Amino acid sequence: MIYHESVRLAENLYCYVWQGRGNNCNTILLPAVLRGERPHVLVDPGHVRNEIGEPCFNSLTQAMEKDGFKIDATGLVITTHSHPDHIEAAELVVKKSGALFALSREEDEFYRTAGKMLFQAFGSKPPQVEPFFYLKEGDLSLGAKSNKVEIKVFLTPGHSPGSISLYLEENKILITGDVVFAGSVGRTDFPGGSPSLLRKSIDKLSQLDVEYLIPGHSTEKSSIIAGKDKVRRNFYTVKVFI
């Protein structure tokens, strides 16, 4: 059974929105970006299986295959942060494809130390993957000249110490991880959480020109937020929570 809904937001971006009953994150695919036989970039591969046993990773691979993409053609895995529901399947992707792995230095240090407690709480183990490079705030260019994708990386701590958000300025698409959702914000009561840092991160992101906001999880209000006015109102609304 496929628990992901495929939503194409741009020629070079698909969002696989999680619709299962249990917990798992939304996953983003940037297809055919990199050179070579493994051209895909995958952001937040999610759980392998969640707390109620739903096969999250198998669902993702099947949803991608329906769109014509193979998981073993992934050349780079990026994670917005290291909570199990975003990063657990990274090890499987790397094993299947030989993909490189990237996250922020702050988040790498966190999930190998205090962050281990979250994996224990979920009854899982941290993925055994080593970052090929660290993501830091600034510009990230992926791909060859003919198919280059320009991404602005923002360090947005608060939900987790090294959380990042990704902004595709050309398409006005913002990927927030668990920093901000539709009508809500990421929890700050986990290890490494900070309401004050989350507030600063949301203030930073709210200054961007955004047409589509892709959160790490759907809420009762919505999943992807489409339209500049709706995005702007959502930022105004969520600031109440912090």
Side-chain angles (χ1 to χ4, degrees):
M1 183 175 181
I2 299 178
Y3 297 91
H4 290 83
E5 177 190 6
S6 173
V7 180
R8 188 178 186 180
L9 294 180
E11 183 178 355
N12 61 347
L13 190 146
Y14 288 72
C15 181
Y16 293 95
V17 179
W18 175 250
Q19 295 188 315
R21 292 185 296 115
N23 183 43
N24 192 38
C25 71
N26 300 326
T27 298
I28 294 89
L29 173 70
L30 305 175
V33 171
L34 309 176
R35 287 172 286 188
E37 297 179 353
R38 298 172 295 164
H40 306 328
V41 178
L42 201 64
V43 181
D44 286 350
H47 266 310
V48 177
R49 282 185 176 272
N50 61 16
E51 76 282 2
I52 62 172
E54 290 172 321
C56 305
F57 182 68
N58 285 345
S59 170
L60 174 63
T61 59
Q62 291 175 43
M64 288 174 56
E65 286 173 359
K66 285 188 67 176
D67 289 331
F69 307 117
K70 297 286 189 180
I71 197 78
D72 57 8
T74 302
L76 175 64
V77 177
I78 291 174
T79 185
T80 58
H81 62 291
S82 65
H83 289 171
D85 54 339
H86 288 253
I87 197 178
E88 185 184 24
E91 184 174 350
L92 272 180
V93 180
V94 170
K95 284 183 176 179
K96 285 179 175 290
S97 65
L100 305 178
F101 176 66
L103 75 172
S104 73
R105 182 184 296 274
E106 295 86 348
E107 197 66 9
D108 186 46
E109 293 173 353
F110 166 71
Y111 102 91
R112 297 180 190 279
T113 54
K116 286 183 177 180
M117 290 185 292
L118 284 174
F119 286 88
Q120 294 170 355
F122 277 95
S124 60
K125 296 180 180 179
Q128 299 302 303
V129 287
E130 294 295 328
F132 184 76
F133 65 93
Y134 289 118
L135 295 163
K136 57 184 180 180
E137 187 151 317
D139 295 331
L140 175 66
S141 295
L142 299 175
K145 291 182 179 179
S146 60
N147 198 32
K148 184 173 289 187
V149 174
E150 301 287 352
I151 300 174
K152 291 186 180 296
V153 179
F154 292 94
L155 189 60
T156 48
H159 176 67
S160 188
S163 291
I164 60 159
S165 297
L166 306 174
Y167 179 53
L168 285 73
E169 187 172 18
E170 182 178 354
N171 303 110
K172 295 181 171 56
I173 294 174
L174 178 63
I175 301 165
T176 61
D178 287 1
V179 174
V180 59
F181 306 132
S184 185
V185 298
R187 294 173 59 172
T188 57
D189 57 342
F190 288 143
S194 167
S196 61
L197 288 179
L198 185 66
R199 184 179 299 109
K200 291 179 181 178
S201 294
I202 292 175
D203 283 340
K204 180 194 298 187
L205 296 180
S206 68
Q207 305 305 310
L208 300 173
D209 182 11
V210 179
E211 186 69 36
Y212 297 101
L213 189 153
I214 307 176
H217 299 271
S218 302
T219 64
E220 291 182 357
K221 289 184 178 296
S222 185
S223 53
I224 298 169
I225 305 170
K228 292 182 183 180
D229 289 341
K230 290 182 179 179
V231 171
R232 190 179 300 113
R233 287 198 297 270
N234 191 71
F235 274 121
Y236 178 82
T237 299
V238 299
K239 289 180 181 181
V240 175
F241 290 92
I242 50 173

